[in-house]
C-alpha cells in the first residue's frame, strides 16, 4: 500500500510594496487573504479579520489580494476593479470595507452610489472600470493565487503557509498566536 503524496500549498508570490496592506508593515505575522467581494464566506470572515487586527494590532498585518470567482459571482470582478480605482486615490481599505458591508449591493448602480458615499468621483471611477483600467492588477492577483494553490475564497496564508483552519475569530487567533515569534 502506498501513501498519497501530500503537497502543502504555499504562498508563491511574496508580499511587495504594491500590495494592499493593513496593519504595521514590520509586523511579525503576515496574513495574505485571497478574497472575492461577492463571496458570502469572505463576507463572514471580514469582521473576524478586522477584530483579529484590532486584538493583535502590533503583531499582525493583513494583505488583501483579489480572487474574483466570476462564474459564481457576476459582480465580483467589477467590485475588485472599483476597489483598485479607490486604491489609486488612497482609499482602498475604505472601499474594501464598504464592499464587504454591502455585499447585496454590488451591481453597477449601487457600486456607483457606494463610491459617492465615500466621497470619490463616481463618473471618473465608472469610466476607469468600464475600460478595465485595473483589470491587469486584478488578473495579476488572481494568477498569483492560482500559482499558490488557491481554489476558493477566502483563502488565507499565514506567513507562507496556507491556513487550513476556520476563519472564525478563535481559530484565527490560535493560528496567529502559534506562529508569532
Amino acid at each position: 500500500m502506498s501513501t498519497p503524496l501530500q503537497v502543502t500549498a504555499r504562498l508563491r508570490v511574496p508580499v511587495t510594496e504594491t500590495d494592499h496592506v493593513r496593519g504595521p508593515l514590520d509586523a511579525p505575522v503576515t496574513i495574505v487573504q485571497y478574497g472575492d467581494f461577492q463571496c458570502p464566506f469572505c463576507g463572514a470572515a471580514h469582521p473576524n479579520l478586522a477584530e483579529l487586527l484590532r486584538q493583535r494590532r502590533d503583531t499582525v498585518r493583513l494583505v488583501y489580494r483579489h480572487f474574483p470567482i466570476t462564474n459564481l459571482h457576476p459582480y465580483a470582478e467589477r467590485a475588485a476593479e472599483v476597489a483598485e480605482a479607490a486604491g489609486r486615490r488612497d482609499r482602498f481599505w475604505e472601499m474594501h470595507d464598504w464592499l464587504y458591508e454591502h455585499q447585496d449591493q454590488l451591481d453597477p448602480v449601487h457600486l456607483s452610489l457606494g463610491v459617492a458615499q465615500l466621497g470619490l468621483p463616481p463618473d471618473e471611477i465608472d469610466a476607469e472600470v468600464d475600460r478595465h483600467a485595473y483589470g491587469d492588477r486584478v488578473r495579476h492577483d488572481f494568477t498569483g493565487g492560482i500559482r499558490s494553490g488557491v481554489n476558493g475564497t477566502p483563502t488565507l496564508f499565514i506567513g507562507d503557509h496556507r491556513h487550513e483552519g476556520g476563519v472564525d475569530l478563535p481559530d484565527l487567533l490560535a493560528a496567529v498566536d502559534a506562529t508569532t515569534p
Side-chain angles (χ1 to χ4, degrees), residues 48-143:
N48 297 332
L49 288 164
E51 181 61 18
L52 173 71
L53 289 174
R54 191 189 73 70
Q55 288 189 27
R56 300 293 187 270
R57 78 178 73 246
D58 296 330
T59 57
V60 176
R61 69 177 176 162
L62 175 66
V63 174
Y64 188 87
R65 292 183 177 164
H66 304 287
F67 201 83
I69 303 174
T70 57
N71 61 328
L72 295 176
H73 306 129
Y75 300 127
E77 189 168 6
R78 185 171 184 91
E81 290 194 43
V82 166
E84 285 302 315
R88 189 175 79 66
R89 294 159 175 87
D90 297 320
R91 305 285 299 278
F92 175 82
W93 289 105
E94 292 94 334
M95 192 77 241
H96 166 278
D97 293 346
W98 188 94
L99 291 165
Y100 277 126
E101 292 161 9
H102 298 87
Q103 280 191 310
D104 60 338
Q105 301 171 8
L106 299 185
D107 61 274
V109 171
H110 284 98
L111 277 178
S112 290
L113 292 172
V115 165
Q117 285 176 3
L118 294 179
L120 296 168
D123 293 339
E124 210 174 284
I125 288 178
D126 284 344
E128 291 171 8
V129 172
D130 286 344
R131 71 174 186 273
H132 298 288
Y134 307 101
D136 285 347
R137 168 61 189 260
V138 174
R139 278 187 295 282
H140 178 267
D141 282 359
F142 189 88
T143 57

